[in-house]
Amino acid sequence: MNQAATFSTIRTEIAGVSVLDLASTFETPTYVYDGSKILERIDELRQFDVIRYAQKACSNLAILDLVRRHGVVVDAVSNGEIYRAQAAGFAANGTPPPVVFCADLFDRKALEQVIALDIHVNVGSADMIEQLGKSGGPRNISLRINPGFGHGHSQKTNTGGEQSKHGIWHEELESCLALAQQHGLTVTGLHMHIGSGSDFEHLAQVCGAMERSARIVGSSLTSISAGGGLPIPYRVGEASLDIGRYFEVWNATRNRLVESFGHPVSLEIEPGRYLSAEAGYLITEIRAIKKMGANTFYLVDAGFNDLARPIMYGAYHPISLTPRDGNLTRPSQPVVVGGPLCESGDIFTQEEGGFVCTRELPVANVGDFLVIECAGAYGFVMASNYNSRPLAAEVLLQDQRARQVRNRQSEADLISHERIPAD
Ligand code: LLP
């Protein structure tokens, strides 16, 4: 059994670098990533033949470069992600494909791009098979199958079952194989991703569905992908996934397929959150403290424009305080943590449905810092310019060195693509 997670509500450093120094050097709000945590997570997954990072979780070029240098390949879900992968040094093709384009549709530019660069595609609809087939683009494809069930940490991150738009419905596999054949495409890969932030039981259920589908495809298959979805502990007491056990169930599935096909079948995993979530911290400064009846609010300079997970999913993130005066012995009190946006939902301590809740945090002063933790996945990448707030800076920590890997946006950046018509 894996150890239960612990989080402290006081924090002075991140990966050996002082939070006060980080805040004064890079200002706030700033995302900080601990590179060593990402590498630890990669090492935990080494039993899988291919670790394919779902870059949508955190796609800063420095993070992509880091994972690439440690043997990880990537998934891309848009033209922009293909472009990023290339800018971070991934080749367009090879074995295993360094970049796989995974989607349920091709927008016109993406179709042009996968053809021009010969990028392997993980196809999520019959129309994609048809469009790729007619294009004269790459001839080997993977099929993403919706096995008819799914599970995520929220209904919004469940990607299986009839309510999901993702993947090829499992009962349509045969007709899609026929369509692929008609267009001269060979199905070399099968992929299932049932949701994000799932649990062992649901994830393991996919093996059976994969095996059934793989037997329908037959021996053209050279690779199967377990998708991503691996959960991480966000709350005190939650245990992390038993990766060894997870690998075992998948490996057994793969081995049965190897035996029937008589050739090797590569086993891929496609995590986003698992690699980057725990490495990321959002440092923000408390700029106001006020009472509303019984509630005490800590108001910070980061909002849901910086971290959208609480307002979108009622997601829970550990929060810790970094006192400016270094006094670490403070009593705690229940507080609500909110941001600067002109919208009442701009609360970091909320449950799904928008219900505001309190969190026990140390007594604080204006000017102290809050660190919102486990924010490295679906944090910066889901940020927006709502309320015309510039995007935060990003900093990568490695070997106690802090290097800025994205400049904070300026107000001028905010309007740089806009025009007032001249007439
Ligand atoms: N593969 C595919 C095809 C996916 O759609 C996703 C996530 C992943 C892999 C990576 O899933 P992960 O290992 O990170 O769970 N914004 C949400 C999560 C959305 C996930 C979308 N697809 C959140 O903040 O929780």
Side-chain angles (χ1 to χ4, degrees):
M1 188 63 196
N2 285 3
Q3 271 194 342
T6 56
F7 297 100
S8 164
T9 53
I10 289 270
R11 171 179 286 281
T12 55
E13 47 86 34
I14 298 171
V17 181
S18 143
V19 174
L20 293 181
D21 288 352
L22 288 166
S24 74
T25 309
F26 302 106
E27 305 181 335
T28 54
T30 288
Y31 272 95
V32 173
Y33 307 112
D34 172 359
S36 68
K37 277 219 175 130
I38 296 177
L39 300 185
E40 260 172 44
R41 295 294 170 264
I42 292 173
D43 280 340
E44 287 167 10
L45 297 176
R46 290 274 183 216
Q47 280 175 292
F48 290 85
D49 298 315
V50 177
I51 306 171
R52 185 171 299 287
Y53 177 47
Q55 62 169 295
K56 73 197 85 173
C58 184
S59 56
N60 185 291
L61 291 184
I63 304 292
L64 297 186
D65 170 70
L66 178 72
V67 302
R68 183 185 56 73
R69 284 186 288 108
H70 289 83
V72 171
V73 292
V74 284
D75 156 74
V77 297
S78 66
N79 244 18
E81 287 194 351
I82 293 175
Y83 189 79
R84 277 183 181 282
Q86 295 221 298
F90 287 95
N93 44 54
T95 311
V99 181
V100 167
F101 180 75
C102 170
D104 298 290
L105 58 94
F106 284 120
D107 60 44
R108 289 181 187 277
K109 258 188 134 174
L111 182 57
E112 275 169 26
Q113 198 71 333
V114 300
I115 296 165
L117 298 171
D118 193 19
I119 289 200
H120 188 84
V121 182
N122 182 13
V123 162
S125 61
D127 288 305
M128 287 181 79
I129 299 177
E130 187 122 23
Q131 289 157 9
L132 193 66
K134 284 185 183 149
S135 74
R139 297 291 91 186
N140 288 346
I141 56 170
S142 296
L143 301 183
R144 175 178 180 176
I145 305 298
N146 177 336
F149 60 88
H151 184 253
H153 67 78
S154 149
Q155 192 42 38
K156 293 173 192 150
T157 67
N158 177 341
T159 57
E162 283 183 32
Q163 297 215 331
S164 167
K165 63 176 178 162
H166 294 293
I168 290 168
W169 187 246
H170 57 109
E171 290 167 339
E172 315 250 299
L173 174 56
E174 277 105 337
S175 63
C176 284
L177 286 172
L179 189 62
Q181 198 182 24
Q182 198 184 313
H183 286 286
L185 301 177
T186 307
V187 176
T188 57
L190 264 193
H191 169 279
M192 290 185 185
H193 170 84
I194 59 158
S196 192
S198 190
D199 56 34
F200 182 86
E201 281 61 38
H202 287 92
L203 289 170
Q205 234 185 311
V206 178
C207 295
M210 175 64 85
E211 193 170 337
R212 283 190 293 282
S213 291
R215 290 189 189 283
I216 295 172
V217 178
S219 67
S220 65
L221 272 189
T222 54
S223 128
I224 56 171
S225 171
L230 282 57
I232 61 115
Y234 283 100
R235 292 175 193 256
V236 171
E238 285 178 355
S240 46
L241 192 73
D242 184 341
I243 297 291
R245 198 169 145 229
Y246 187 54
F247 173 76
E248 282 315 319
V249 293
W250 271 105
N251 193 33
T253 304
R254 180 262 297 276
N255 287 342
R256 284 192 293 276
L257 294 175
V258 167
E259 203 163 302
S260 6
F261 298 158
H263 61 68
V265 175
S266 158
L267 177 57
E268 288 205 4
I269 189 147
E270 194 176 73
R273 184 187 317 273
Y274 193 77
L275 294 196
S276 63
E278 290 159 287
Y281 302 80
L282 174 58
I283 305 181
T284 178
E285 184 182 353
I286 301 178
R287 298 296 307 152
I289 297 178
K290 61 183 185 178
K291 275 201 174 275
M292 296 291 182
N295 283 331
T296 301
F297 283 74
Y298 289 176
L299 297 184
V300 297
D301 62 5
F304 74 67
N305 60 304
D306 296 295
L307 177 65
R309 301 192 71 255
I311 193 170
M312 277 196 70
Y313 317 111
Y316 180 101
H317 285 265
I319 300 178
S320 54
L321 178 88
T322 305
R324 195 181 275 270
D325 65 6
N327 174 6
L328 306 181
T329 50
R330 299 171 178 229
S332 66
Q333 59 178 350
V335 297
V336 177
V337 179
L341 300 180
C342 193
E343 181 155 339
S344 23
D346 187 24
I347 296 292
F348 289 114
T349 49
Q350 64 177 292
E351 286 168 4
E352 194 147 18
F355 299 102
V356 167
C357 35
T358 58
R359 183 82 61 91
E360 280 292 314
L361 285 180
V363 168
N365 300 311
V366 168
D368 288 343
F369 297 97
L370 288 186
V371 181
I372 306 182
E373 308 194 0
C374 299
Y378 309 107
F380 182 89
V381 287
M382 288 171 67
S384 77
N385 287 130
Y386 186 43
N387 277 203
S388 290
R389 297 193 75 90
L391 297 178
E394 293 182 285
V395 170
L396 178 61
L397 303 183
Q398 280 183 295
D399 306 323
Q400 312 228 338
R401 283 177 73 197
R403 282 168 301 174
Q404 186 155 5
V405 293
R406 174 192 292 270
N407 296 341
R408 182 178 307 287
Q409 257 186 345
S410 67
E411 282 73 17
D413 291 334
L414 287 178
I415 58 168
S416 66
H417 284 65
E418 299 175 30
R419 304 277 177 280
I420 299 174
D423 49 348

